[in-house]
Amino acid sequence: MAGSEASYNALVQEHFRAPRNTPCHPAGPDVVAGEAGRESDGVRYRLTARLCGPRFDEVRFEAYGCPHAIAAASLLTEQVGGSDIAAAAQWTWQSVSCALAVPAEKRGRLLILEDALRSLIAAARSGTLDEALGRPHP
Amino acid sequence: MAIYLDYAATTPIDPRVAARMSECLGAAGEHGNPSSLHHDFGRRARKQVEVARAQVAAMVGATPDCIVWTSGATESDNLALFGAARYHANRGRHLVSVKTEHKAVLDPLKQLEREGFQVTLLKPEDSGLVTPEQLSAALRPDTILVSLMHANNEIGVLQDVGAAGAICRARGVLLHVDAAQSAGKVPIDVQAMNIDLLSITAHKLYGPKGIGALYVRRQPPVGLQPLFFGGGQELGIRSGTLPTHQIVGFGTACEVAQQDQAEDTARITRLRERLWQGIAPLGGIEINGVGAPRLCNILNLCFHDVEGESLQYGLRELAVSAGSACSSGSAEGSYVLRALGRTDQQALSSLRFSLGRFTTEQDIDFAIGEIRREVTRLRALQPRAAS
């Protein structure tokens, strides 16, 4: 039954009870954001990152979703925080699905998380390009 | 240990009921077959069965000869619908019910459609109520049966079955009422309400699971085709050896329910109000079925801006239901709430808190604390607009 202890493994329970890296950063000159999903689809993510050159210094999240969706975002922020943007671009939904034992019917929610990360990376790349060209961040 | 707030799914057995059942099951109890009237063991069991029949009948304003024992409300609903529809098929093949009925009514109606009957399902107003005008307009010359639940199992809204009974009686249409949730909690008088068939069950009123009853009007007789054939018990309407200890438990539960009804209602209403007043200040919470008369023990709430599965898991220290117990686990929102105009997400973010005879103020205060903490936490986690 949805919502019971047996529905979620220990890692999901841990991240659901104590999500890491939340809430999102306030807007700032070195902060980029990405979003994906809709509440009407059962999941929505917002990711923000503080940029440090070509690197995500810290990634934070906010989420509307089931415990698996929240745990996946929390785990993602741990996995890509501190990494190069190029390395973060290699992240896929499979990076968390096994560890969290996400049921097949919920994998679409992880794809939406992946979309949110792509949106964040696009914003970051746009920002770093602006920086290289000496333009202000969008 | 979680706090039990799921009395609409089932109730614990009242100790007074358990005591009577234990007596019945003990060495000196009534182990004889109630149909074995040629010896004392059977006659003693029969006597207890008839005492219970009178107790159940008294709770709904019926005479004892109108009570037919079944295994529970699902069987009672099936017997009423299949039994009446098949028996009266030569008079007409049109049936009327409501979209928010329990599956124990909706699924038999689907089967009757497959057998060639036509079914009209009324859409209730957003409050959950069906108006007498809606019902009148749905009746046709070939309508033989209306099935209307008294109290909705998810939102607790009470239909005006008395008004429905008057309409049906005037039009010569049978009225079946599923009173699984309301029996013992609100007064029911099958005579005054013009009810022809009434389904009740023991396990929703602090009696044992596995026993229920169907009230079948005798004057004039309704006419039912049996579902089971065998020993011819219950005047041939429902064959099968009678489970004396469960029947005794059911009868006792009905008697206790009648005795305690006023006190239970006052106390449970106060506790439900305490729960609502404790969490309403959070904001963004709506009562499903507001504006209609409701059972005192059900509070079905839609929590806006909170995802339903996370809320349910976050509140795992509270035994509550999302949708009905029979269908929870489904990824779809409750069909009852969707029929009232809730979106899928709103339906999925709704929880039914149902209180009962053994709910305490401490239980409610604990629940308030859990709900406030978890709703606040999950809302804080939600994506905000970019600042």
Side-chain angles (χ1 to χ4, degrees):
Chain A
M1 179 185 131
S4 72
E5 205 85 42
S7 307
Y8 314 109
N9 72 13
L11 193 60
V12 174
Q13 292 177 31
E14 183 193 330
H15 279 268
F16 177 78
R17 286 171 187 160
R20 323 293 195 264
N21 303 309
T22 189
C24 287
H25 300 91
D30 56 347
V31 171
V32 290
E35 290 187 2
R38 290 182 305 186
E39 287 182 16
S40 56
D41 292 335
V43 67
R44 186 158 81 87
Y45 291 111
R46 176 173 161 79
L47 301 176
T48 57
R50 196 175 293 284
L51 287 177
C52 182
R55 197 165 58 83
F56 285 139
D57 186 31
E58 184 189 39
V59 178
R60 300 179 73 82
F61 84 100
E62 290 166 352
Y64 171 97
C66 68
H68 284 109
I70 290 170
S74 177
L75 195 53
L76 164 97
T77 63
E78 288 191 330
Q79 291 176 343
V80 301
S83 69
D84 286 347
I85 295 171
Q90 302 305 309
W91 192 94
T92 68
W93 63 272
Q94 286 101 332
S95 307
V96 294
S97 65
C98 279
L100 298 173
V102 177
E105 66 273 17
K106 285 187 173 180
R107 287 185 188 151
R109 298 174 190 191
L110 299 187
L111 286 168
I112 293 173
L113 179 60
E114 196 176 309
D115 287 346
L117 180 62
R118 300 271 166 269
S119 163
L120 180 75
I121 289 167
R125 284 185 167 149
S126 155
T128 49
L129 182 61
D130 288 336
E131 206 166 76
L133 296 172
R135 293 197 302 244
H137 289 275
Chain B
M1 185 73 172
I3 299 295
Y4 191 75
L5 293 174
D6 205 12
Y7 281 78
T10 193
T11 54
I13 295 184
D14 188 290
R16 291 165 284 187
V17 172
R20 275 299 292 121
M21 290 180 72
S22 293
E23 280 174 34
C24 193
L25 287 166
E30 290 84 13
H31 74 271
N33 187 326
S35 297
S36 299
L37 300 179
H38 54 283
H39 56 62
D40 190 47
F41 296 95
R43 285 192 293 272
R44 278 179 53 207
R46 170 59 67 175
K47 187 177 171 193
Q48 292 305 319
V49 165
E50 296 312 319
V51 167
R53 202 187 299 273
Q55 288 167 322
V56 173
M59 188 180 69
V60 297
T63 53
D65 61 323
C66 296
I67 299 299
V68 174
W69 303 116
T70 66
S71 62
T74 295
E75 187 192 327
S76 297
D77 288 342
N78 274 262
L79 178 56
L81 296 168
F82 286 116
R86 289 171 181 165
Y87 187 93
H88 296 280
N90 57 344
R91 279 208 297 123
R93 298 177 75 85
H94 180 237
L95 312 164
V96 176
S97 192
V98 185
K99 288 184 171 182
T100 49
E101 291 289 314
H102 194 278
K103 291 284 188 188
V105 165
L106 294 177
D107 286 351
L109 290 175
K110 272 186 206 162
Q111 177 57 30
L112 286 166
E113 273 187 325
R114 288 190 279 268
E115 294 177 16
F117 289 86
Q118 290 183 305
V119 177
T120 298
L121 290 181
L122 303 174
K123 183 184 183 312
E125 298 182 322
D126 288 354
S127 65
L129 292 178
V130 170
T131 64
E133 293 74 24
Q134 275 181 287
L135 180 60
S136 281
L139 299 182
R140 310 189 319 207
D142 62 339
T143 306
I144 51 171
L145 177 71
V146 168
S147 184
L148 186 64
M149 76 197 312
H150 192 193
N152 185 273
N153 54 306
E154 293 195 29
I155 57 176
V157 162
L158 285 158
Q159 299 287 350
D160 187 350
V161 291
I167 292 166
C168 290
R169 190 59 57 90
R171 303 277 289 268
V173 175
L174 295 174
L175 175 64
H176 165 245
V177 172
D178 178 347
Q181 287 292 341
S182 60
K185 299 190 185 80
V186 293
I188 295 176
D189 186 330
V190 289
Q191 310 285 349
M193 292 171 159
N194 292 309
I195 295 168
D196 300 299
L197 298 155
L198 182 97
S199 299
I200 47 179
T201 188
H203 78 99
K204 307 278 193 190
L205 49 89
Y206 311 94
K209 293 165 185 62
I211 184 71
L214 180 67
Y215 158 81
V216 183
R217 178 169 53 80
R218 298 281 188 201
Q219 298 294 334
V222 164
L224 281 186
Q225 195 176 100
L227 295 179
F228 300 166
F229 298 88
Q233 288 90 345
E234 301 299 279
L235 301 176
I237 293 175
R238 204 279 192 178
S239 288
T241 301
L242 296 175
T244 311
H245 62 291
Q246 286 173 291
I247 289 171
V248 163
F250 190 10
T252 308
C254 291
E255 189 176 76
V256 170
Q258 273 197 291
Q259 284 167 5
D260 292 3
Q261 195 172 91
E263 188 187 329
D264 276 354
T265 301
R267 203 179 65 79
I268 294 168
T269 302
R270 215 166 39 242
L271 289 175
R272 185 185 69 176
E273 190 58 19
R274 185 182 182 96
L275 176 61
W276 172 238
Q277 294 303 330
I279 57 180
L282 284 169
I285 306 173
E286 280 185 87
I287 298 173
N288 290 315
V290 74
R294 281 182 297 136
L295 285 180
C296 66
N297 70 319
I298 294 182
L299 187 61
N300 192 312
L301 299 177
C302 175
F303 293 85
H304 294 283
D305 304 319
V306 186
E307 198 276 335
E309 189 181 326
S310 281
L311 180 61
Q312 202 182 344
Y313 180 54
L315 296 179
R316 59 198 170 280
E317 293 302 316
L318 307 180
V320 299
S321 275
S324 69
C326 314
S327 59
S328 48
S330 155
E332 286 188 346
S334 139
Y335 68 91
V336 171
L337 299 181
R338 282 184 288 133
L340 305 188
R342 294 289 187 208
T343 64
D344 241 335
Q345 282 308 310
Q346 288 169 341
L348 287 165
S349 295
S350 294
L351 293 179
R352 179 187 70 186
F353 301 87
S354 51
L355 289 57
R357 191 175 287 159
F358 307 115
T359 306
T360 64
E361 274 191 12
Q362 289 74 20
D363 293 340
I364 295 302
D365 291 345
F366 178 78
I368 291 169
E370 289 289 294
I371 296 164
R372 291 179 74 105
R373 176 181 52 75
E374 200 57 21
V375 169
T376 303
R377 185 180 85 87
L378 289 170
R379 283 182 176 164
L381 203 57
Q382 282 220 46
R384 277 160 283 262
S387 50

